[in-house]
Amino acid sequence: MKTIDELLAEGVDGKRVFVRADLNVPLADGAITDDGRIRAVLPTVKALADAGAKVVVASHLGRPKGAPDPVFSLRPAAERLGELLDAPVAFAQDTVGPAAQDAVNGLEAGQVAVLENLRFNAGETSKDDTERGAFADQLAALADVYVGDGFGAVHRGHASVLDLPARLPHYAGYLIATEVGVLKQLTEDVKRPYAVVLGGAKVSDKLAVIDQLLGKADRILIGGGMLFTFLKAKGHEIGASLVQEDQLPAVNEYIERAEKNGVELILPVDVLVGSSFPDLKTKAPANPTTVAADAMPADQMGLDIGPRSSQLYASKLADAGTVFWNGPMGVFEHPDYAEGTKAVAQALLDSPAFTVVGGGDSAAAVRILGFDENAFGHISTGGGASLEYLEGKTLPGLAALEG
């Protein structure tokens, strides 16, 4: 895989460089609530601009249905990129149409333009090779060189990720090079004990990675909404908590395999429960109750791991050599249910281990809860991509850059 350093050594002065970034930032009423993914691509964009490239940045945002939708416009991300670069950033109001062509043609050496949301064009996500290829041809006409730096999208076989690199000289940006290097540390020559913390809402989202980790990790700590499927599999009352009944057979199998393989599969010993899901908009007090994990009231739902569980999890991370964390421990967006996630984040900071926060909600939680993200070994920008890499899957975007 060629890197951006090789491209810079070859020279980019005056060249149109297409940077496939991941600017898929969370928005609330049109305002960015977490700009981590924009800041992650800054080193690549800045290096290219400083070297005299005409930088064309493109990304997706959300899931528009192949047509323009102002709710998913990249304009706020383009404006924030300009603020972080401390330089003007042109914004094209389409992806490959007249506005995009004018924006790119208007660039001088060292300037940057952002195209509108790639998913406003149905060709970006099409499963039809011809339709996707036609869109990639239109994108290729806007550039001389391709730099892949949207790690959060490399597990998608989309036009700008898979097909476009085949049409242009292609290189990996700084972010992708860093992400791949970190993930190799989680799969090759892992410093042990290797502890994995998995949270989030659905156990089905994590089954494949659990399957792989049962042969690699020393400890797997379970939290978030997915933990209640594990508790039910063990025969415990889970009240009104989130559960995936169809996943119970798989979870039972994993519990047995963990024991057989000598992998510690650690579940909470206590949980915080409430009578209903908390109001995340007003943050009104939820008045949770702490109960034993095997004694949940039938009319209550679990919304965070409890204080004894937080201490248990911290103790299991204290002597680890490597820690990978993907998924919050509870509904961290509400202050009454944030303590479990805070405890895990603090345990990672206190541990001497090489620590990786695996993107998505975990990365957002670190920032929202006020932790210094630079204190962690690495915070990934791609939760789904990180998980699929650890599952051993071939990621289309990485394969395209290696081709």
Side-chain angles (χ1 to χ4, degrees), residues 73-144:
S73 175
L74 274 174
R75 184 180 290 277
E79 292 173 353
R80 181 59 179 150
L81 179 62
E83 292 170 0
L84 293 169
L85 288 170
D86 194 23
V89 169
F91 179 68
Q93 297 183 55
D94 58 26
T95 54
V96 291
Q101 294 168 25
D102 289 347
V104 174
N105 291 337
L107 289 175
E108 301 288 340
Q111 293 184 336
V112 179
V114 173
L115 305 181
E116 184 53 285
N117 193 335
L118 291 167
R119 291 185 182 175
F120 285 2
N121 190 303
E124 169 68 359
T125 59
S126 175
K127 297 188 184 303
D128 181 86
D129 292 349
T130 301
E131 183 180 14
R132 213 176 53 247
F135 183 50
D137 287 338
Q138 291 178 291
L139 292 172
L142 299 174
D144 306 304

Side-chain angles (χ1 to χ4, degrees), residues 212-223:
Q212 287 291 316
L213 290 170
L214 283 172
K216 297 174 183 176
D218 299 300
R219 301 166 189 159
I220 301 177
L221 290 66
I222 303 294

Side-chain angles (χ1 to χ4, degrees), residues 129 132 136 146 156-167 396-397 399-400:
D129 292 349
R132 213 176 53 247
Y146 177 93
R156 306 296 188 192
H158 293 168
S160 64
V161 177
L162 175 63
D163 303 275
L164 184 54
R167 290 158 167 77

